[in-house]
Amino acid sequence: MDLKQLAYLRALGIQVWVDRSGRDRAAPETETMKAELCAEEWERLAQAVAECTACPLHQTRTRPVFGVGNRRAAWMLIGEAPGEQEDLKGEPFVGPAGQLLNEMLRALRLKREEVYITNLLKSRPPGNRDPRPEEVAACAPFLMRQIDLVRPQIILAVGRIAAQNLLQTEAPLSRLRGKVHYYKAIPVIVIYHPAYLLRNPAAKRQAWEDLKFAWQVYSARSQQTHG
Ligand code: URA
């Protein structure tokens, strides 16, 4: 069985044991094979996003905005939807809010390339309006697959809309901040959206508290898993 067939069967959810001995014996995959399968799966997913017509936003966007960064990151950041700059470049958080997000990461001693960044929506809503529930629902399978593939140690939900959709709640941001939530057993910390912080710089102090809290949660979890 070649790699392509294997990847195909896996994509269908069929568990395959590779017999490399010639005998009737189940053998574990090599790390290289796993990495190749994973890379193929990422490519297929990005392609599926590029070809998706499940909601009308594909008609008005310039480029799909899939996600960027380390596909095996410990930290995953999930924002709302691409804005103008992101739509032009095909990359999340590259406009002014993105610059501030990079600084927020730097405060955590994290580089943008070390984390994985994506959004609920992979296409820009016209005029930067809020995502509609049906658009979020149409895009959700892509985000879920990204989370499953990255398998982060911690997720930062960036802003109210990302948090409410990820956590399936209508609670306001003020009630979501400062608590540990979970998405499939992965801790989720809710932080202010950098676009909000640009409009309300006085909230930066609270934003810093949220980041410190996220760091504590991450450190405690790393100690549990590694120590
Ligand atoms: N705001 C978001 O939520 N995501 C982006 O990618 C850019 C701005």
Side-chain angles (χ1 to χ4, degrees):
M1 184 167 328
D2 67 20
L3 268 180
K4 277 227 162 62
Q5 283 172 303
L6 246 183
Y8 182 69
L9 291 171
R10 290 262 157 76
L12 292 176
I14 297 167
Q15 188 171 11
V16 186
W17 290 100
V18 184
D19 182 3
R20 294 189 206 83
S21 67
R23 281 175 284 129
D24 187 15
R25 174 172 79 77
E29 301 166 338
T30 64
E31 284 305 310
T32 323
M33 238 173 143
K34 266 198 221 161
E36 284 179 35
L37 282 173
C38 203
E40 281 188 28
E41 190 152 5
W42 276 106
E43 256 173 56
R44 267 202 311 275
L45 191 61
Q47 190 63 27
V49 165
E51 290 169 2
C52 180
T53 56
C55 84
L57 294 182
H58 72 280
Q59 294 164 351
T60 47
R61 73 170 182 221
T62 311
R63 289 173 184 232
V65 180
F66 180 68
V68 73
N70 178 1
R71 291 167 171 178
R72 305 180 68 179
W75 293 71
M76 183 161 181
L77 281 76
I78 301 174
E80 182 181 321
E84 188 182 12
Q85 306 284 319
E86 290 77 18
D87 174 69
L88 291 172
K89 199 163 176 212
E91 187 175 326
F93 284 102
V94 289
Q99 299 303 314
L100 182 53
L101 189 71
N102 291 348
E103 280 176 35
M104 291 161 77
L105 286 172
R106 218 170 293 139
L108 288 170
R109 297 178 194 272
L110 290 169
K111 293 198 195 93
R112 186 175 162 93
E113 316 78 72
E114 278 175 77
V115 304
Y116 191 82
I117 308 176
T118 190
N119 283 308
L120 294 176
L121 294 194
K122 312 306 187 210
S123 303
R124 180 191 184 204
N128 293 351
R129 63 160 169 74
D130 285 354
R132 295 186 175 139
E134 63 274 18
E135 294 161 352
V136 176
C139 244
F142 297 130
L143 176 62
M144 286 176 192
R145 195 69 197 119
Q146 285 173 306
I147 299 174
D148 286 347
L149 285 171
V150 175
R151 287 199 284 140
Q153 295 293 312
I154 188 164
I155 294 175
L156 297 185
V158 184
R160 176 183 63 84
I161 292 186
Q164 288 180 336
N165 282 284
L166 192 65
L167 302 172
Q168 296 287 293
T169 175
E170 290 186 0
L173 191 90
S174 56
R175 283 206 11 236
L176 296 173
R177 289 180 49 243
K179 293 185 186 132
V180 187
H181 309 269
Y182 289 92
Y183 174 86
K184 290 192 186 171
I186 304 168
V188 176
I189 304 299
V190 178
I191 63 169
Y192 279 115
H193 197 289
Y196 173 83
L197 295 174
L198 288 173
R199 294 191 303 270
N200 301 278
K204 281 188 183 174
R205 184 182 290 268
Q206 284 170 291
W208 173 229
E209 295 302 321
D210 293 344
L211 295 177
K212 283 195 289 188
F213 178 57
W215 185 260
Q216 282 164 10
V217 172
Y218 169 73
S219 303
R221 189 175 160 99
S222 305
Q223 268 166 22
Q224 269 170 19
T225 10
H226 301 118

